[in-house]
Amino acid sequence: MSEVIATVSIRAPRSGPGVEVCFEFPATGETVYLPLPDRRALEAMRRKAGEYLRRVVPLVARLNATSEQVATALRILLNAGRELTGMLIQDDIARFLRLESAFRAAWPRWQAAEWDDPQRPIPMVELHCRDETLPLELLPLFDFGSLPPLRTYDDLVRAASRFLGFATVVRRVVPARATADSVLRNEPALPVQFLRHRELGSAREEERFLASLGGHVQVEGPWPVAQDEEVVRASLLRALYDGAPLDGGAGDGTPVQVQHFACHCDTSAEFDDDYALVLSTRNGKTRRVTFGELREGYYDRFFADRSTAGHRAVIILNACASSRTNPLTAYSFPRWFLNHGHRAFIGTETDVPDGVAGGFAAAFYGRLLETRRPLGEAVVWARRDLLRDFRNPLGLLYVMYGDTQLTVERARPGIYRASAGRSA
C-alpha cells in the first residue's frame, strides 16, 4: 500500500465557532491547523476551483498541446492553486510557508519524481470528509514558487510535481460501506459495461480502444442500442444494482467489475433529483435517466431483498465537452454510489474535451492492466501520461473516490506501452 504522507480532515474546531481543516503528517509528527469562519469558505473555494478549471480547459482543449499552451495552462493552474490555498489559510502568508515546508519534509523526494519508473510507489494523501470535499489535486503544496522555463521534458515534470494531483494519490475517505476485498476480477478477462452517448467523439474513441484490448477486457456494449426510455431505465437499474447484463439476460461467469459511462452528466438542476445521466441509442435517440429515478430504483430493490452484502462495480463517469457539470454539486453522484456499495467512483470536476477524455481512458486502463497498478495510482499515471505524451495537464480534472487500492488479479504485460517520453 502507498505510504500516507499526510491526512487532511474537515471538522469542528477545537474551540469556538466555524470549521477547521487539519493537516497531519505521520512521518514528521507535525500538524497544521487552518481555522475557517464557517463552511461557506469551503463552498467558495470549490466554486472558485470550478471557475479556474473552466478558464484552463479552452487553452488545451486539443489533446496534443504545444509547449506554449502547456506553459500558459500550468501558470494559470499555479496561480489558481495559490489563490485556493490562500482561501484555505485565510491569506496568512506565514501559513503558506509552513504548509509548503511540512509537505516537503513529509516527502523529501517530491522534486526527484521518477515518472519513467512505473514500479516506484506513489505517496498518498488521505482526505477525510463527509458532504464537503477539497480540490486537493489542484494545490501546489510542494512548491508555491514561480515556474521554471519549460524547455525540456524534465522541466515539465519538475513543474507539475508541485501539484498534489501529479505527485500523490489523493484518497477521499467518505462514509461508505467497506468493500470485501481490493481485487478486480480479470480472469480470464476484465468485465466492463460500456454505456455512451453516441454523439461524443470520445465515446467512439473509448469504444475502439476497449475493443482493441482483445481478450483482456470483456466489453458489453456500446449500450443502449435501440431500447425505449422505460427499458433503458429498467435495464440500467438492474445492471447497476445487481451487476446484471444490460441486455436483460441472466449472466454467467465473473460479475461486471467496471461500469464505464462516456456520456453527458447534467448536475445543473436546482434539486439533485433532477440531475441526469444522458445516453443515446445507436441511432442517436436520447435516453435520459435522472438521479431521482436511480435512487427510487435502488430503494425498491433494497427494501425488497433487505441485504447490505452486495459489492458493486467501479463507476467511471467520463463526462465530456457538451456536458454540464457543477463542481459544487457533482459530489452527490460519487457519494451516493459509494454509499450504495459501489467500490469506487472516478469522475471529472468540470467538462472535459473529447480528445482528452479518450486519451485519459486509454492511459487509465493501460496502467491498470499492464503492471497491476492500484486504481488510485492508475489515475495518477494516466494524468502523467497525458502531460508527458501530449503536453496536456487536463488529467487534473479527474478525481477518484472510494477504494484506491483496487487491483486486478493478473497483469497483462504489453497491453499498453506509453511512449518513452519526449521533450517539452
Side-chain angles (χ1 to χ4, degrees):
M1 182 171 176
S2 301
E3 177 185 351
V4 177
I5 63 168
T7 62
V8 186
S9 54
I10 303 170
R11 61 197 188 189
R14 290 161 292 169
S15 61
V19 65
E20 186 174 74
V21 180
C22 177
F23 288 78
E24 298 175 274
F25 301 89
T28 62
E30 186 171 2
T31 302
V32 178
Y33 297 102
L34 302 177
L36 298 172
D38 52 47
R39 294 184 182 273
R40 286 178 295 181
L42 298 175
E43 294 177 6
M45 185 180 178
R46 292 195 296 274
R47 185 180 297 110
K48 200 164 188 177
E51 181 56 39
Y52 280 129
L53 290 173
R54 282 188 287 274
R55 294 179 186 180
V56 169
V57 167
L59 298 174
V60 282
R62 294 177 64 88
L63 178 59
N64 279 288
T66 67
S67 298
E68 182 178 353
Q69 287 170 333
V70 70
T72 301
L74 285 175
R75 279 195 298 271
I76 292 175
L77 286 170
L78 173 60
N79 185 60
R82 289 167 169 171
E83 291 288 334
L84 295 172
T85 307
M87 297 175 74
L88 199 58
I89 65 175
Q90 298 291 283
D91 285 324
D92 183 336
I93 196 68
R95 287 180 178 155
F96 263 121
L97 300 179
R98 186 178 177 195
L99 205 53
E100 180 187 76
S101 176
F103 268 93
R104 290 183 177 191
W107 188 250
R109 299 194 296 278
W110 72 272
Q111 206 168 16
E114 293 289 344
W115 285 23
D116 293 325
D117 182 5
Q119 300 303 322
R120 184 180 292 272
I122 300 175
M124 181 179 293
V125 174
E126 287 188 346
L127 172 60
H128 296 258
C129 54
R130 294 185 64 87
D131 293 325
E132 61 276 287
T133 185
L134 294 172
L136 288 181
E137 288 85 353
L138 300 179
L139 305 186
L141 292 173
F142 286 107
D143 187 359
F144 291 108
S146 300
L147 292 175
L150 302 181
R151 298 189 180 95
T152 68
Y153 168 63
D154 288 339
D155 293 336
L156 192 58
V157 169
R158 281 192 293 271
S161 293
R162 68 187 61 206
F163 295 97
L164 289 192
F166 286 116
T168 71
V169 174
V170 176
R171 177 173 179 251
R172 287 170 169 80
V173 182
V174 299
R177 289 159 50 182
T179 56
D181 57 31
S182 291
V183 178
L184 289 171
R185 315 293 172 190
N186 72 322
E187 286 283 13
L190 181 72
V192 175
Q193 290 179 339
F194 182 66
L195 307 95
R196 55 85 175 95
H197 195 293
R198 192 173 181 274
E199 76 175 31
L200 292 175
S202 63
R204 295 188 291 274
E205 289 180 27
E206 291 165 60
E207 178 185 347
R208 286 192 293 268
F209 172 75
L210 289 171
S212 75
L213 298 179
H216 300 309
V217 174
Q218 178 186 338
V219 182
E220 183 186 6
W223 188 89
V225 180
Q227 296 87 348
D228 63 29
E229 196 117 1
E230 186 175 340
V231 172
V232 165
R233 188 179 303 119
S235 298
L236 178 58
L237 282 167
R238 188 164 171 261
L240 288 169
Y241 192 88
D242 299 322
L246 291 162
D247 64 6
D252 54 18
T254 306
V256 60
Q257 301 292 289
V258 178
Q259 287 163 325
H260 184 125
F261 292 80
C263 67
H264 297 304
C265 174
D266 185 352
T267 59
S268 62
E270 181 178 359
F271 298 108
D272 59 13
D273 279 3
D274 297 323
Y275 299 168
L277 298 173
V278 187
L279 308 164
S280 75
T281 66
R282 181 174 53 202
N283 294 327
K285 301 292 186 182
T286 296
R287 298 292 181 258
R288 186 180 181 93
V289 182
T290 68
F291 199 13
E293 290 166 339
L294 288 178
R295 290 196 294 208
E296 179 183 1
Y298 270 63
Y299 284 141
D300 286 345
R301 285 156 177 77
F302 171 74
F303 289 114
D305 61 39
R306 297 184 178 270
S307 172
T308 61
H311 296 286
R312 299 185 173 89
V314 173
I315 300 291
I316 297 178
L317 185 51
N318 213 0
C320 300
S322 56
S323 306
R324 291 181 296 164
T325 54
N326 183 337
L328 275 178
T329 55
Y331 182 54
S332 294
F333 270 114
R335 171 72 180 275
W336 185 81
F337 277 117
L338 293 180
N339 280 345
H340 289 80
H342 290 272
R343 304 167 79 188
F345 180 100
I346 297 170
T348 64
E349 291 287 348
T350 192
D351 297 349
V352 179
D354 286 342
V356 174
F360 181 89
F364 167 75
Y365 281 105
R367 292 295 187 178
L368 181 73
L369 291 166
E370 185 170 72
T371 54
R372 298 185 67 241
R373 303 315 309 163
L375 203 68
E377 291 194 15
V379 170
V380 177
W381 277 109
R383 292 181 190 134
R384 292 176 173 183
D385 287 352
L386 286 187
L387 189 65
R388 180 194 65 189
D389 297 337
F390 305 107
R391 300 184 184 92
N392 199 305
L394 293 187
L396 282 179
L397 299 181
Y398 288 85
V399 294
M400 178 184 169
Y401 301 80
D403 189 352
T404 58
Q405 297 302 303
L406 285 168
T407 308
V408 296
E409 294 172 297
R410 182 178 173 186
R412 303 299 184 187
I415 198 173
Y416 171 72
R417 288 285 182 247
S419 64
R422 56 193 184 195
S423 63

